[in-house]
Amino acid sequence: MARAAEEVGLDSIWLGDHLLYRGDGREERGPLEVWTLLSALAAVTTRVRLGPLVACASFHPPGLIAKMAATVDDVSGGRLVLGLGAGWNETEYRAFGLPYDHRVSRFEESFEIVRRLVAGERVTLEGRYWSADDLVLMPPPERRIPLMIGSNGERMLSIALPHVDWWNTWYAGYGNTPDGFAELNACISAAAERAGRDPSEVARSTAVLVELDPEAVTRPHGDDQARPVGLDDLPAHLGALAEAAADEAILVLRPITEASIRTVGSVLGSFVG
């Protein structure tokens, strides 16, 4: 699927950082581990940007997150965007024995360590949840790895927007419509200003739910509040998102298959490549 994405001209590939889903009447399931898979994709692709959408700051110590990110960036030849978030799925926390409390406070400490390390700094920090003692990445990163925040929360934005290059929202966060994105994007610009940033310095990224075959998909509970975009409507939808100031649209395909990727690539034409 990654090679197909490159061949049809898509610009980036993103992988969720999750461990286990179950409950709410849904089939028990889980994806492959994100950092291992990103490293594999870095080795078999040559052009596309790669990133976690988004890496959960609670799943690993911050120094290890930075180390893994620097390794994937090196293997890919400088194609990683490090997306970060605080996590939300309590099921996987409990199953894997990870603390679920104070996720934003944990993120705040982790984020400071990670962002400084991937920028090439040496870090000492003694926090309540995370610490670093004269920590440095060796070998040093070849570049300052770009950062993305995956959150719409006010406190999360206040922590991340002073430093990140990108902001991303999931499609459920704005209803999967251009008008919904424009409204949310205005809030992000205001949050950037409150954080002391020029809003134009923060690129805008949005996930878009795209349905190619309704009969082939088991619809997850909770996501149905966002109506998917049909294949025929996708070019116009992306044009409207661009007018609403989206810099990148990350397509969440139903179903996610190589055939779906090639079909979307053939339909989009001038939007890819």
Side-chain angles (χ1 to χ4, degrees):
M1 289 193 287
R3 288 173 173 142
E6 278 206 323
E7 289 170 10
V8 303
L10 297 178
D11 297 313
S12 59
I13 297 171
W14 301 86
L15 306 176
D17 185 12
H18 284 287
L19 306 172
L20 180 67
Y21 295 103
R22 64 180 171 213
D24 298 326
R26 300 169 65 178
E27 181 181 357
E28 191 172 60
R29 60 192 176 89
L32 294 171
E33 196 281 317
V34 66
W35 289 104
T36 308
L37 190 53
L38 280 170
S39 187
L41 297 191
V44 300
T45 58
T46 60
R47 180 183 56 79
V48 289
R49 285 178 291 115
L50 301 166
L53 197 71
V54 287
C56 179
S58 300
F59 286 174
H60 303 283
L64 185 55
I65 293 174
K67 184 73 171 179
M68 293 187 294
T71 299
V72 172
D73 195 60
D74 187 69
V75 172
S76 68
R79 292 184 284 126
L80 180 75
V81 176
L82 178 51
L84 292 166
W88 59 269
N89 181 16
E90 186 173 0
T91 293
E92 56 196 349
Y93 281 82
R94 301 303 184 203
F96 281 81
L98 300 168
Y100 190 69
D101 63 309
H102 303 290
R103 293 190 311 284
V104 177
S105 295
R106 293 177 188 276
F107 173 86
E108 185 171 23
E109 293 181 3
S110 176
F111 181 71
E112 180 176 353
I113 295 171
V114 171
R115 69 171 178 82
R116 291 173 59 189
L117 285 172
V118 299
E121 294 185 33
R122 185 180 295 267
V123 179
T124 295
L125 184 146
E126 186 62 42
R128 180 179 179 184
Y129 304 104
W130 301 111
S131 61
D133 182 8
D134 194 27
L135 179 56
V136 64
L137 296 181
M138 296 298 294
E142 293 287 332
R143 61 173 188 145
R144 190 191 71 81
I145 298 171
L147 298 173
M148 171 188 282
I149 179 63
S151 178
N152 299 330
E154 183 177 350
R155 186 177 167 202
M156 287 286 290
L157 293 171
S158 71
I159 293 166
L161 284 179
H163 307 285
V164 295
D165 306 279
W166 288 82
W167 161 79
N168 172 267
T169 184
W170 193 242
Y171 59 80
Y174 67 98
N176 209 43
T177 67
D179 287 344
F181 176 81
E183 182 177 351
L184 178 58
N185 191 46
C187 295
I188 300 304
S189 293
E193 290 180 343
R194 290 194 298 271
R197 291 288 297 279
D198 180 343
S200 66
E201 295 176 352
V202 182
R204 314 303 166 94
S205 168
T206 179
V208 178
L209 178 62
V210 182
E211 190 165 78
L212 286 81
D213 184 359
E215 301 301 321
V217 177
T218 300
R219 297 176 184 273
H221 297 292
D223 283 352
D224 288 336
Q225 297 177 5
R227 182 177 179 180
V229 179
L231 191 61
D232 293 341
D233 297 326
L234 185 56
H237 186 91
L238 294 180
L241 281 175
E243 291 179 2
D247 297 294
E248 177 177 55
I250 299 174
L251 306 182
V252 182
L253 304 182
R254 288 181 172 178
I256 302 176
T257 64
E258 180 181 344
S260 294
I261 292 168
R262 294 192 182 280
T263 297
V264 165
S266 67
V267 167
L268 290 183
S270 61
F271 282 96
V272 299

